[in-house]
């Protein structure tokens, strides 16, 4: 493991050393990190000996997702989202379920031995998006604000929404819940997850409001509060037998809702911690998960990866935006930029530990899709942002597009993650 720590440290220093030049090229930090991981893994140099199912990999991946879920959900202004109720709500309420369903149906068609539950598990795993892998798409101010923020909010909330779906599907597969009844397993996972999240979010908000209002919190400790709340919620849920991911997601949402503007300036440390863990997770992904997945590669898995990033994502997005008067370039832009990232990796690690009959195929399809997404979405972000921005400003000069010109609340700024350009 010492050699692994050396590789992690050297990789982080390497990416930091060239991070500014990289920002002006099509090469993203995520691509560099994953490439280094593949080279260091058993497929090439074999310098990292951690097994895909090891406790180290799962702990790292789960801790990263918990921190990111808390950070993402806490930054979304739920009141503003409810008022706007336009593009993000359609993407989450219509596009996300349709993506899961279409992903499951494609899996049924390509992977004959799959049970229906296994097919839809793969659909759920690859439904969440990761805006941090194409940060130019959500940070470039040349783009319509409503488009940038819709993609940002979608990626911040869809992974949390997919967690209970995954738990329900895993519980329906024979043996996934052990000797316990599937309904009981799901109820405990979701119920205790909600309890842990509500307790942690309420307590953290109370500390900010009550102790902060009395000036009892030193400025150096304020950024620690959100991270501590994420850890607390995750820990409570896990201790009770619930889902730590649901706890982190619910805790962040409640914390942001109750504390409101008082969280200004507090989330930076939590976001940077999540971004650093995210980077290490992608390094491990390249070395321990993606590299070995190539050994299971088949034409069905390769085709599924391509379809998952195109038709399975783009058709549901087009359906969800039907009737909004969004123009074709906007629909295509939103449909294409659905990078698969951290949540899919963590979900696949969980499924690998669940010992499903066709777990090897599920995780191989997931890892190949994520690896392909890192490459194609990273390479296409800058050029397609430029083309779409040019179209948008030309269209605005003639007649402002109705939907694209709408203002949108600045919910969150996930695009500053370390892995994006």
């Amino acid at each position: 493991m010492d050699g692994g720590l050396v590789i992690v440290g050297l990789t982080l220093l390497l990416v930091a050393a060239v991070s500014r030049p990289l920002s002006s090229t099509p090469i993203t930090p995520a691509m560099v990190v994953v490439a280094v991981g593949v080279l260091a893994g058993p497929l090439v140099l074999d310098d990292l000996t951690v097994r895909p199912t090891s406790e180290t990999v799962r702990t790292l991946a789960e801790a990263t997702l918990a921190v990111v879920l808390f950070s993402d959900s806490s930054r979304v202004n739920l009141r503003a989202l409810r008022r706007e109720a336009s593009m993000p709500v359609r993407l989450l309420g219509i596009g996300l379920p349709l993506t899961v369903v279409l992903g499951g149906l494609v899996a049924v068609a390509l992977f004959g031995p799959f049970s229906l539950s296994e097919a839809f598990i793969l659909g759920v795993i690859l439904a969440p998006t990761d805006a941090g892998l194409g940060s130019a798409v959500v940070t470039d101010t040349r783009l319509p604000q409503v488009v940038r923020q819709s993609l940002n909010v979608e990626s911040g909330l869809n992974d949390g929404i997919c967690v209970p779906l995954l738990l329900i599907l895993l519980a329906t597969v024979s043996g996934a819940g052990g000797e316990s009844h599937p309904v009981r397993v799901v109820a405990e996972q979701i119920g205790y997850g909600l309890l842990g999240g509500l307790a942690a979010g309420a307590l953290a908000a109370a500390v900010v409001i009550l102790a902060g209002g009395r000036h009892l919190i030193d400025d150096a400790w304020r950024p620690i509060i959100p991270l501590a709340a994420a850890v607390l919620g995750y820990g409570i849920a896990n201790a009770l037998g619930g889902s730590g991911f649901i706890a982190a997601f619910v805790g962040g949402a409640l914390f942001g809702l109750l504390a409101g503007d008082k969280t200004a300036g507090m989330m930076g440390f939590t976001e940077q911690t999540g971004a650093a863990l995210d980077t290490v997770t992608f390094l491990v992904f390249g070395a321990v998960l993606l590299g070995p997945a190539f050994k299971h590669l088949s034409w069905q898995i390769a085709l599924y990866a391509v379809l998952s990033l195109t038709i399975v994502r783009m058709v549901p997005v087009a359906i969800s935006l039907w009737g909004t008067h969004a123009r074709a370039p906007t629909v295509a832009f939103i449909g294409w930029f659905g990078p698969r990232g951290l949540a899919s990796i963590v979900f696949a690690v969980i499924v690998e530990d669940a010992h499903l009959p066709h777990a090897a195929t599920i995780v191989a399809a997931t890892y190949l899709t994520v690896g392909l997404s890192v490459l194609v979405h990273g390479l296409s972000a800058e050029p397609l942002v430029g083309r779409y921005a040019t179209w948008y400003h030309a269209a605005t000069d003639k007649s402002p597009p109705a939907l694209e010109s709408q203002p949108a609340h600045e919910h969150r700024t996930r695009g500053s993650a370390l892995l994006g350009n």
Side-chain angles (χ1 to χ4, degrees):
M1 189 62 188
D2 290 341
L5 292 176
V6 170
I7 293 172
V8 169
L10 287 176
T11 302
L12 293 177
L13 289 174
L14 169 66
V15 176
V18 297
S19 55
R20 187 178 293 275
L22 280 180
S23 65
S24 59
T25 73
I27 307 298
T28 65
M31 294 163 62
V32 175
V33 168
V34 172
V36 171
V38 171
L39 290 174
L43 200 65
V44 183
L45 301 178
D46 202 14
D47 282 342
L48 283 177
T49 57
V50 181
R51 293 180 294 106
T53 56
S54 73
E55 194 65 27
T56 301
V57 172
R58 178 158 183 167
T59 300
L60 170 64
E62 290 189 355
T64 304
L65 183 58
V67 173
V68 170
L69 281 171
F70 187 96
S71 176
D72 283 350
S73 62
S74 68
R75 295 294 293 250
V76 175
N77 188 320
L78 297 177
R79 295 187 180 93
L81 183 61
R82 187 174 62 252
R83 287 196 305 269
E84 291 165 4
S86 56
M87 198 179 291
V89 174
R90 284 172 170 267
L91 291 173
L92 292 167
I94 302 174
L96 181 61
L98 289 177
T99 299
V100 172
V101 171
L102 186 54
L105 294 177
V106 172
V108 168
L110 288 178
F111 307 114
F114 272 25
S115 67
L116 200 58
S117 294
E118 288 177 311
F120 284 107
I121 283 172
L122 182 54
V124 170
I125 289 175
L126 288 170
T129 57
D130 189 345
L133 295 180
S135 61
V137 177
V138 293
T139 58
D140 196 312
T141 55
R142 295 176 298 167
L143 303 182
Q145 187 182 34
V146 67
V147 172
R148 290 189 291 111
Q149 285 304 305
S150 294
L151 287 169
N152 225 346
V153 172
E154 180 199 17
S155 73
L157 297 181
N158 56 16
D159 40 12
I161 294 172
C162 284
V163 169
L165 297 179
L166 181 64
L167 295 176
I168 291 170
L169 287 169
L170 283 175
T172 65
V173 179
S174 176
E179 297 180 357
S180 301
H181 195 279
V183 175
R184 179 182 175 184
V185 172
V186 171
E188 289 178 348
Q189 289 277 313
I190 296 177
Y192 288 135
L194 288 171
L195 179 62
L198 292 173
L203 180 58
V207 168
V208 171
I209 295 170
L210 299 178
R214 291 172 172 77
H215 304 288
L216 299 176
I217 305 175
D218 188 276
D219 287 344
W221 278 90
R222 290 178 63 82
I224 303 296
I225 294 173
L227 183 60
V231 173
L232 176 62
Y234 187 87
I236 292 174
N238 269 4
L240 295 175
S243 169
F245 301 134
I246 292 178
F249 184 76
V250 172
L254 183 62
F255 175 69
L257 182 65
L258 296 179
D261 295 338
K262 295 180 177 61
T263 63
M266 293 177 58
M267 297 304 301
F269 178 69
T270 302
E271 291 178 348
Q272 290 302 314
T273 299
L277 289 173
D278 202 0
T279 304
V280 177
T281 299
F282 270 87
L283 175 64
V284 173
F285 163 71
V288 179
L289 304 176
L290 178 61
F294 285 122
K295 298 177 182 178
H296 302 282
L297 185 61
S298 65
W299 71 265
Q300 292 96 333
I301 290 176
L303 179 57
Y304 189 89
V306 173
L307 293 177
S308 178
L309 298 180
T310 53
I311 293 174
V312 172
R313 159 73 181 180
M314 300 179 79
V315 170
V317 166
I319 294 173
S320 70
L321 297 181
W322 184 270
T324 63
H325 304 294
R327 299 192 182 182
T330 298
V331 175
F333 186 83
I334 294 174
W336 169 244
F337 282 109
R340 309 308 199 280
L342 176 64
S344 296
I345 294 172
V346 178
F347 290 170
V349 170
I350 293 172
V351 167
E352 195 161 12
D353 281 349
H355 306 296
L356 303 184
H358 301 98
T361 302
I362 292 174
V363 298
T366 300
Y367 297 149
L368 181 63
T369 303
V370 173
L372 184 61
S373 178
V374 169
L375 178 65
V376 298
H377 286 113
L379 290 175
S380 63
E382 289 288 349
L384 290 186
V385 162
R387 291 186 61 179
Y388 180 66
T390 300
W391 167 83
Y392 171 66
H393 289 292
T396 302
D397 290 341
K398 296 177 182 177
S399 60
L403 178 74
E404 290 84 351
S405 298
Q406 290 179 5
H409 187 89
E410 292 285 343
H411 293 277
R412 54 195 288 276
T413 53
R414 172 76 184 276
S416 62
L418 300 180
L419 289 176
N421 264 342

